Amino acid sequence: MAKKTKTKVHAVRNNIYALRLVWKMCPRRVVHMALARLLYYFGWLFYSAFFMRYVINALQTGETFRAIMIFIGITVAVFATMAFYNSYIQGYIKPTSDAEINKKLYQKLFKKSRNVELECFENSDFYDKYTLAMKNADTRLVETVDMLFGLLFGFIASICAFIFMFQVDRLSVAFILLPIIGNFFFRILNSRIDYKRNKEMAPHNRRIDYINRIMYLKDYAKEIRLTNIFNLLKRQYTDAITGVADVTKKFVWKSAFLHWFYVMFTFTFIFEGLLIYGAYRTLVSETMTLPQLAVLTSMMVSTTWILIGFTDSVTASFKNGLFVDYLRTFLEYEEKIPEDYEGDDPGSQIESLEFRNVSFAYKDDVVLSNLNMKFDGGKTYALVGHNGAGKSTLIKLLLRFYDPTEGEILLNGRNIKEYNLQKYRSLFATAFQDNRMFSMTVADNVTLGEDIPADQREQIVVDALKLSGVYDKVMSLPNGIDTTLTREFDDNGAVLSGGEFQKIVVSRAFARQCPIKVFDEPSSALDPIAEYKLFDNILKACRQNTLLFISHRLSSVQNADHVFLLENGQVREEGTHRELMKKNGLYADMYQKQAENYLADKTKQKEGIWA
């Protein structure tokens, strides 16, 4: 019981938070939503409690026709004004305020998503809440506030309806219990059945959605046509449809039974019951007048719909409270490494970068352990090792996507936490192996929004493309560097191969003017000849930079000034290529095995085993 009470209080707080948030973004929308809800319930009450009562009493007491028509005329004018106001809200206030709320809310959300640390996107629980908060956030937020006013004014209107019916006939109030039972008992029970049914259907629906998606995505088109996978998909689809049908059968009678009781208590029992009661009082016991019966039946209709609207608002408010909780959790999250982190200007001179006793664990999984490394400015360093050795994590720590669990990272002898984060990161030009292509022009994909003088932009892009080895391919496209990549928004967009795409990614690091260049597996999708040319260009173009690159092919690290071999999150060996080969240790063993595999592949090619 205490837990349920706490949940309800939390839901109320979330709804009030939503009200405050919308008020800050667009106060006029809040005012108009409140007035619209107030007038909605006022209309129901006025018509049944005042209009009908006055007209019938006026006719019964012999009020002049002129007086009755004046009252009716004033009522029509009031309701016409209310209708005009509602049209004004729907036609002007709603679309303009929706656009304003959308703009301001998503500015908040985008700013927050830009500012939270990378770890948030890799935390499944946080990421799930983030995506739920982002999905249709503006419309759901406005709906939450609208339902809050529906809850408030619906409650007041329900009390007023009780009072008016009590004034007409005290016993008639008992009939109001029927729609209350229907809405707050049978409807809630039915909602729980729907929840259980939807929960059991979810795995089957996910399978159906997955297969539907596969059937129109180009990524799967070749396999569907070249293999028998379609028969497997068809079988899974049939099983999923059968599963949905079985779940539906499981709950159908219970759901239908509860829905019948909901309809009977909410509508039939009160309508028919109150009419029979009123007819008995009017015709048999003659204790109720015909005008009272007319008012009572009118109040019955109004009260029923008021209670239904109030119940809907209660249900929606608790449901929306969960969404607001996700939104609130996201917006109020305190970043560990905010993108607007203030600090000193690191300058542009790189004397040294140092990892001092650095350890890092992700979700209790130790990735780096007591790591010590130092990079002198202006030199070339290679990071090698098996997958999972910690190489990419080391780069993420260096870029301060994460902070070490223990130890510190130093730039020019100072902890990188002392520097302004944006200015610190501006020292690095990076090319990651898991970078993404944007549906923009080649030039935009290379510069990525960098502030480059217009008269220099084209030449910088061209030079970068030449260094990465993809210039000729780009110039063969319809619009050269102005060709849109991907066909997300442009049917004539260019779709590059994996190797060509990787070269575009590498071009980004060439184009950016920074003292430190970082290349993470820049040649993983390239053949040996293209790889050799790329690394040769990297070494030549980055002579004046501090250069760090990760490569799983040791043949590409021979010309590095210093090589670090990582294993299990520690530096196991370091030195120049020659020094490490002389040690005849892990590095030498890896190098020799790769060389043997390469020679074996070359032999197979010569023998014609490979096409």
Side-chain angles (χ1 to χ4, degrees), residues 386 554 565-567 572-573 580 583-592:
H386 296 294
L554 300 189
L565 187 146
L566 278 72
E567 187 171 301
R572 295 295 301 272
E573 294 181 4
L580 293 176
K583 286 184 179 180
N584 201 29
L586 290 174
Y587 178 88
D589 182 61
M590 289 175 59
Y591 185 87
Q592 289 167 0

Side-chain angles (χ1 to χ4, degrees), residues 197-414:
R197 179 176 56 204
N198 292 334
K199 187 177 181 181
E200 291 192 25
M201 280 185 177
H204 304 300
N205 285 328
R206 282 200 302 271
R207 176 65 65 182
I208 291 170
D209 291 341
Y210 172 72
I211 296 173
N212 285 337
R213 191 167 65 252
I214 280 179
M215 293 307 297
Y216 71 78
L217 287 177
K218 65 177 182 179
D219 299 344
Y220 300 92
K222 293 190 295 294
E223 283 77 5
I224 289 175
R225 284 154 178 77
L226 294 174
T227 68
N228 290 321
I229 192 66
F230 177 78
N231 293 329
L232 293 177
L233 292 172
K234 182 180 178 181
R235 190 184 310 156
Q236 290 184 353
Y237 193 86
T238 302
D239 291 343
I241 292 293
T242 303
V244 170
D246 290 342
V247 173
T248 302
K249 291 176 183 177
K250 178 179 177 182
F251 292 98
V252 64
W253 288 112
K254 187 180 292 185
S255 178
F257 180 74
L258 290 173
H259 184 73
W260 182 85
F261 270 100
Y262 160 70
V263 171
M264 295 300 290
F265 272 84
T266 303
F267 300 103
T268 307
F269 290 162
I270 183 174
F271 288 170
E272 305 299 334
L274 200 56
L275 281 173
I276 293 171
Y277 169 76
Y280 175 82
R281 289 281 306 273
T282 304
L283 300 175
V284 179
S285 66
E286 297 182 348
T287 54
M288 181 181 289
T289 65
L290 189 61
Q292 285 179 317
L293 176 62
V295 171
L296 190 63
T297 54
S298 178
M299 282 298 304
M300 169 192 67
V301 174
S302 298
T303 302
T304 299
W305 285 110
I306 286 171
L307 287 171
I308 290 173
F310 174 61
T311 306
D312 288 340
S313 297
V314 171
T315 304
S317 293
F318 282 106
K319 182 180 178 181
N320 291 332
L322 182 60
F323 152 71
V324 177
D325 188 52
Y326 293 144
L327 182 67
R328 186 176 183 178
T329 299
F330 181 66
L331 289 176
E332 293 183 346
Y333 174 76
E334 293 186 10
E335 302 89 342
K336 298 174 185 176
I337 313 175
E339 290 294 311
D340 55 3
Y341 185 94
E342 294 294 339
D344 295 336
D345 188 341
S348 59
Q349 297 298 317
I350 307 300
E351 297 175 4
S352 65
L353 275 166
E354 183 178 359
F355 285 74
R356 185 177 293 175
N357 302 319
V358 169
S359 296
F360 178 75
Y362 183 72
K363 291 184 178 180
D364 299 324
D365 182 18
V366 178
V367 183
L368 299 176
S369 178
N370 197 33
L371 189 73
N372 287 280
M373 304 173 70
K374 187 173 183 180
F375 309 106
D376 293 325
K379 291 188 176 182
T380 299
Y381 294 87
L383 306 177
V384 301
H386 296 294
N387 291 335
K391 305 185 296 299
S392 295
T393 300
L394 185 149
I395 298 299
K396 290 178 181 178
L397 288 171
L398 184 62
L399 294 169
R400 212 181 166 211
F401 289 148
Y402 305 95
D403 281 332
T405 309
E406 296 178 3
E408 57 183 348
I409 302 172
L410 308 174
L411 170 65
N412 297 337
R414 293 180 62 183

